[in-house]
Amino acid sequence: MQVRHWRFGIFLVALLGLLMAGCGGGGGSSTPASKPIYVVDSANGRIVKMRDITGAGWSTFGSFGTGNGQFKNPTSIAFDSKNRIYIADTGNHRIVRVDDMSGSNFKTLGSLGSGTNQFTSPQGVAVDSLDRVYIADTGNSRIVRVDDISGAGWTIYASPGPGVNQLNQPSSLFITSSGIIYIADSSNERIVRINDLVGTGWITYGQAGTGAGKFTQITKVMAGTDNKIYAVDPSQGVIRVDDIAGSNWKLLGQGADVFTGLAMNIDGSYWVGVKTLSGVDQVRRIADFTGNVTASYGASGSGQGQFNTITDVSTGP
């Protein structure tokens, strides 16, 4: 089965990802100075950690490959209550957990397939308040929940399709502090909200297209510290609505630049990953939803201060 998404498609110059600060989805919120910034540097097969937007405290973990300490086009990152790091290692069809940025206690769950303890190109990972791990198993069009990295408590939600309790290549998910689950149902061009993995409270927002209430392909979804819902749609920008009904639809764009990641700070500012029209990958701080850029960092490449296809931005320990 071929997964339809822009990250590894022909639009190499522009894509991907997002993600989020906050409970469950990516490791909490912070003021710009209070927590480090984590960047999923996908095509370099690594995770980058910085103390701030100047690149201070630059450190990396990972290299491109299939073995221990390696990633193949990782897509998203999350943290649990013990500050352990989870990575959706998309190209290796697995979830990775490490204790810290040294890669200590490197553990994996998954191999290519559609059975128990198997994934096909998983793109999203999130952790709830009980430290249970949720995976957007993109190629299998389902959500998986496990109790821990051993795969204990393996639970599946959804089947492929466009209907109720169905998904089509979900790319991202976010768990609120109260356990509400938001899913970027990417190829159905909609956001799904459910109360639990039984599908209680199923409700959706969005349809195919551009403009208010429409998506072309959602790569990330999150609930912000302002309790609003955010979605990254690379062909449009970042979309914000007040609730799942789509109230007060707003669009944040950066001209020809394409958003490839998103996290929100408690002061209302944002960290975003972007790919410029010329193909340069950067992390930016945007002061508010008007798009006021206050700082930028990064260039294209594989060295210090360089990125190659950012697919997630988050804050963490």
Side-chain angles (χ1 to χ4, degrees), residues 19 25-26 81 90 93 100 128 176 183 204 209 223 225 263 269 275-276 279 311:
L19 192 54
S81 64
T90 306
H93 312 286
D100 50 46
D128 70 12
T176 71
I183 303 166
T204 68
T225 57
S269 65
K275 187 180 282 289
T276 69
T311 55

Side-chain angles (χ1 to χ4, degrees), residues 20 22-28 77-79 125-129 173-177:
M20 63 198 136
C23 153
I77 189 170
F79 307 91
V125 62
V127 181
D128 70 12
S129 60
L173 71 168
F174 185 90
I175 320 298
T176 71
S177 57

Side-chain angles (χ1 to χ4, degrees), residues 16-21 25-28 36-41 48 50 53 75-77 79 220 222 259-265 270-274 282-284 307 310-316:
L16 304 130
L18 116 61
L19 192 54
M20 63 198 136
I37 308 163
Y38 288 78
V39 181
V40 179
D41 187 12
V48 174
M50 308 180 294
I53 196 64
T75 304
S76 59
I77 189 170
F79 307 91
K220 293 294 177 182
M222 74 175 194
F259 283 95
T260 61
L262 176 68
M264 188 177 183
N265 299 304
Y270 305 89
W271 299 120
V272 298
V274 298
Q282 293 181 331
V283 176
R284 293 178 183 169
F307 306 102
I310 296 170
T311 55
D312 197 4
V313 179
S314 187
T315 58

Side-chain angles (χ1 to χ4, degrees), residues 14-251:
L15 311 192
L16 304 130
L18 116 61
L19 192 54
M20 63 198 136
C23 153
S29 322
S30 68
T31 60
S34 66
K35 282 191 175 183
I37 308 163
Y38 288 78
V39 181
V40 179
D41 187 12
S42 185
N44 282 324
R46 66 186 184 183
I47 306 302
V48 174
K49 178 182 179 181
M50 308 180 294
R51 284 201 303 269
D52 54 44
I53 196 64
T54 69
W58 173 279
S59 64
T60 68
F61 171 67
S63 60
F64 201 92
T66 60
N68 286 345
Q70 295 186 312
F71 303 102
K72 186 177 180 182
N73 300 117
T75 304
S76 59
I77 189 170
F79 307 91
D80 67 15
S81 64
K82 298 177 181 178
N83 294 333
R84 294 177 297 192
I85 306 169
Y86 296 78
I87 301 103
D89 189 7
T90 306
N92 283 324
H93 312 286
R94 66 188 184 184
I95 302 301
V96 171
R97 190 190 76 190
V98 293
D99 288 351
D100 50 46
M101 282 292 289
S102 73
S104 174
N105 204 20
F106 186 96
K107 293 186 179 298
T108 68
L109 171 66
S111 60
L112 177 60
S114 58
T116 302
N117 294 339
Q118 293 184 319
F119 306 107
T120 299
S121 302
Q123 293 179 15
V125 62
V127 181
D128 70 12
S129 60
L130 299 176
D131 282 347
R132 296 177 299 185
V133 184
Y134 295 69
I135 301 100
D137 188 6
T138 308
N140 288 321
S141 293
R142 65 188 184 183
I143 303 300
V144 172
R145 186 187 70 201
V146 293
D147 294 341
D148 53 50
I149 200 67
S150 72
W154 177 275
T155 303
I156 293 173
Y157 170 71
S159 60
V164 176
N165 293 323
Q166 293 186 315
L167 302 170
N168 190 354
Q169 299 178 3
S171 59
S172 170
L173 71 168
F174 185 90
I175 320 298
T176 71
S177 57
S178 60
I180 299 297
I181 304 166
Y182 290 91
I183 303 166
D185 190 9
S186 185
S187 293
N188 280 328
E189 292 90 14
R190 66 188 182 185
I191 296 170
V192 172
R193 190 191 74 186
I194 51 177
N195 297 338
D196 50 46
L197 280 195
V198 179
T200 305
W202 166 279
I203 189 170
T204 68
Y205 171 70
Q207 58 182 303
T210 59
K214 297 179 180 180
F215 302 102
T216 59
Q217 190 169 32
I218 310 167
T219 56
K220 293 294 177 182
V221 66
M222 74 175 194
T225 57
D226 55 1
N227 294 318
K228 300 181 190 296
I229 303 168
Y230 292 80
V232 172
D233 184 345
S235 71
Q236 298 191 86
V238 176
I239 292 163
R240 185 185 73 186
V241 293
D242 287 353
D243 50 47
I244 197 66
S247 303
N248 199 24
W249 184 93
K250 301 286 185 182
L251 175 66

Side-chain angles (χ1 to χ4, degrees), residues 277-292:
L277 182 62
S278 59
V280 176
D281 291 282
Q282 293 181 331
V283 176
R284 293 178 183 169
R285 182 178 182 271
I286 297 180
D288 51 49
F289 212 70
T290 66
N292 178 24

